Amino acid sequence: MSVFHHPTSMSRLIRSAWRTLGSSSSSSTSDAFLANGFKGYNHFSSHFQCRNSISSLLHQSRPYATHTNTKSPFEANILRILHNEIEYQVEYAPPHQHATKFNSFVVQDRPGGQWMTMKGTYNDSEEIKLEVTMFDGYESVPKLGDDSSGEDVRLHISVLVDISKRSGDDALEFVCSAWRDCLEIHKLYLFSPNSMASRPYLGPHFRNLSSQLQQRLREILEARGVNDKLAVFLHEYMMNKDRVELIQWFGKVKSFIEQ
C-alpha cells in the first residue's frame, strides 16, 4: 500500500511555501549544525561537534533547577519527560553535522523547515536548483532475506529539479521521487517565474512518453548530477535532519513550559 503525496500536488505545495517564506532564515539554535560541513561523513569529528552543540539544550533550563520548583507537579513531570527525551536522543542516537556539499551541489538547509535546497551549475550556462522535502510518505514492500515474511517500509522524498538557462527566464522543472536507492521522474514541464498563467499546462505524465524520450530525459538529469547516488545522499541527509529537528522540537517545547 502506497501512502505518499501526489508529486504534482507536492510541487505546488513546495512552490507556495517557498514563495511565502522567501529568503528568510531561522535563528534557531540548530544553525550551529550549519557552521561547518563535513566530507565523507567523518563520524568521529561530526559526532563530537554535533553532540556538544545539542548538549547545550540540556543546560538551557534544567527540569530540576530552582525556578522549576514553582511549577505544578503536572508541569514538572512533563519537564522531566522532555529532559529525558533530549538526553536520550543526544546520548544514544545523536545526529551528525549537516553536509554542506554533495558533489557539485551546495546544500542550503532551512532549520525548522520541512525541506532544504541544493544549488549548482552546469557548463557555466545553466543554474540547477533542487527543492527537497523531508520524508513525506512511504510504501509497503515485501521483506527480503531469509525472514521474508511480512512487509517492510520504503520511505519517500519529493524533489523538484529546476534547470534554467542564464540567458533566459524559462526553466525546465522535473517533479521527482527520491527513494532510498533510486530517483524516479514523474512530470516534466516548463516553469516561468514571470508567467501570468494561473493553471499552466503541465505536460503528459512521464510514463506516457516514449521509452526513448524517457531515457534521454533521464540522461539530462544524470549529466547534471541528479541521479540514484543523489537519492542515497538525500535519504542519509533527511534521516539526520529528522534527528536534528526532533531534538530542537523537544527543546523548544521544554523551554515554552519552563517560561
Side-chain angles (χ1 to χ4, degrees):
M1 176 181 179
S2 296
V3 188
F4 58 88
H5 296 286
H6 189 281
T8 303
S9 299
M10 180 56 61
S11 170
R12 289 194 290 267
L13 173 63
I14 299 174
R15 184 70 58 197
S16 175
W18 184 266
R19 287 173 177 169
T20 301
L21 291 177
S23 59
S24 63
S25 60
S26 170
S27 60
S28 163
T29 53
S30 59
D31 285 342
F33 298 111
L34 306 179
N36 296 292
F38 65 93
K39 297 182 179 180
Y41 289 96
N42 185 328
H43 292 294
F44 177 79
S45 174
S46 61
H47 172 86
F48 179 78
Q49 296 176 24
C50 204
R51 212 178 137 182
N52 283 347
S53 299
I54 299 175
S55 294
S56 64
L57 283 172
L58 297 173
H59 303 289
Q60 288 175 4
S61 50
R62 308 287 293 193
Y64 310 108
T66 303
H67 72 273
T68 64
N69 291 339
T70 59
K71 296 293 182 182
S72 69
F74 176 74
E75 290 175 321
N77 185 49
I78 293 177
L79 289 174
R80 280 194 295 271
I81 293 172
L82 288 169
H83 174 82
N84 290 339
E85 287 285 352
I86 295 171
E87 194 170 56
Y88 172 81
Q89 301 294 341
V90 170
E91 292 295 327
Y92 297 102
H96 306 291
Q97 274 193 286
H98 284 315
T100 57
K101 290 191 67 178
F102 176 74
N103 292 340
S104 61
F105 290 103
V106 175
V107 179
Q108 298 176 350
D109 188 48
R110 301 186 71 81
Q114 290 283 342
W115 63 89
M116 62 87 152
T117 303
M118 300 178 69
K119 293 184 178 181
T121 59
Y122 179 72
N123 283 347
D124 295 327
S125 62
E126 294 179 356
E127 300 283 351
I128 315 294
K129 183 172 78 169
L130 282 66
E131 297 175 44
V132 186
T133 68
M134 294 179 69
F135 300 116
D136 57 8
Y138 71 92
E139 69 175 13
S140 298
V141 295
K143 282 189 176 180
L144 301 176
D146 297 334
D147 183 13
S148 58
S149 60
E151 293 183 329
D152 208 344
V153 171
R154 191 174 180 229
L155 295 176
H156 176 270
I157 293 173
S158 293
V159 184
L160 296 183
V161 183
D162 288 354
I163 302 176
S164 58
K165 298 288 186 181
R166 290 180 174 176
S167 58
D169 293 330
D170 288 340
L172 286 180
E173 182 157 87
F174 290 81
V175 181
C176 305
S177 288
W179 300 102
R180 180 64 180 83
D181 55 354
C182 67
L183 192 78
E184 179 182 356
I185 303 173
H186 292 282
K187 297 281 286 186
L188 167 64
Y189 59 92
L190 281 171
F191 169 74
S192 176
N194 302 318
S195 174
M196 300 299 291
S198 59
R199 295 176 64 92
Y201 177 66
L202 299 181
H205 195 284
F206 188 76
R207 65 169 174 259
N208 293 332
L209 301 174
S210 69
S211 58
Q212 185 179 27
L213 181 54
Q214 288 184 38
Q215 180 60 30
R216 293 298 175 264
L217 291 173
R218 290 191 190 97
E219 290 171 359
I220 286 178
L221 291 185
E222 182 77 30
R224 289 156 179 79
V226 183
N227 51 30
D228 294 348
K229 292 182 180 178
L230 175 66
V232 174
F233 166 79
L234 292 179
H235 274 252
E236 293 174 349
Y237 186 96
M238 288 306 177
M239 281 287 189
N240 188 60
K241 180 173 173 61
D242 186 72
R243 307 295 306 168
V244 171
E245 298 297 344
L246 177 63
I247 292 172
Q248 294 295 329
W249 181 85
F250 280 134
K252 289 176 181 178
V253 173
K254 180 171 173 282
S255 295
F256 180 87
I257 296 174
E258 285 175 325
Q259 293 175 3

